[in-house]
Amino acid sequence: MTVTEADLNPPRERPGVLPKHVRGLLLHEGLACRGLFLGTLAVYLIFGWGLLVFFHPGWIIGIGVLSAVLIASRLGGSDAAEGSEEFAFSLPPTRAERYLVRMSLGLAAVLALTVVGTLSIAFDLPQLAWGVFVETGFTEPFPAARPLLLYSLAVAIPFAAFGFTFLAAAEARTAGGAGASWFLGLLATGVVVLGGLIAERLLWGGATGLILVPVLIALGAGALGLGYALYRWKEGVARPTSVESRGGSFWVWVVLVILVALFLTFFAWVS
């Protein structure tokens, strides 16, 4: 067999470009979650820009938290849910690369939804878009939300929910653990929100966001950082998902919707 110069000097990756296996992983994860991403985007565009139902930051908190826990549990716990972690860890992408790609993909989707959604409500962007074509009630500005901290919470709460859920999903060892990560994320977020509101009420007699917003952002980022540190040392054990364990997905969705509704109702009452 003749050895050529190309064999001795294989082409190198261009500086600043992701390795091929990382790009492949990013494409794979994006395709695996495209239905969830497109569904969330469709709901936001229809009700936010089409029908102008999302006229208050509370709507962004609701859809943001819901999308955050669904995306985080799907991306963070995909291998554990499929029982394929042992096989996945033997592939070229390292644990750190897997974690960072999935975290970045999900976090970008959640932040894009919440930041754009909050700005569109705060600056009446859908009305400006409608005003280019028609002059109707759709062009009337939204009333300002009170208290104003709701605008910052519309980004901070879903961010924290994503961080807590992604941590729980990434560290799950079984399909059941990955499936329960959304509940743990919601529970942790609810505890932090309640604790922050109580602390602010005791200190200043009402919600100000001076404690709650920084704590949500710090704990959400801390959860993602902790998950990264733990995931790099995680060992995968093959546990194929049984057929019986897949039959209760309908009730999982029902419980999830009920919990989100109760969380938002309680938050609105406390505020």
Side-chain angles (χ1 to χ4, degrees), residues 193-253:
V193 171
L194 180 60
L197 290 175
I198 291 176
E200 291 180 358
R201 189 174 293 274
L202 292 175
L203 291 174
W204 298 294
T208 64
L210 297 177
I211 293 178
L212 182 55
V213 173
V215 166
L216 284 169
I217 295 175
L219 291 181
L224 293 175
L226 176 62
Y228 174 75
L230 296 176
Y231 194 80
R232 294 178 62 187
W233 298 97
K234 185 179 182 182
E235 293 296 335
V237 179
R239 296 185 179 92
T241 306
S242 63
V243 176
E244 292 79 3
S245 65
R246 301 174 185 173
S249 59
F250 171 77
W251 294 109
V252 170
W253 281 90

Side-chain angles (χ1 to χ4, degrees), residues 93-104:
T94 64
R95 290 166 175 78
E97 290 170 339
R98 287 182 173 277
Y99 185 92
L100 292 176
V101 165
R102 291 169 175 172
M103 181 196 72
S104 301

Side-chain angles (χ1 to χ4, degrees), residues 148-162:
L148 292 177
L149 77 97
L150 289 174
Y151 291 101
S152 56
L153 291 179
V155 177
I157 291 179
F159 173 78
F162 178 87

Side-chain angles (χ1 to χ4, degrees), residues 18-33:
L18 292 175
K20 289 183 179 180
H21 63 275
V22 176
R23 296 200 299 269
L25 178 62
L26 183 61
L27 178 62
H28 174 268
E29 297 298 337
L31 291 175
C33 292

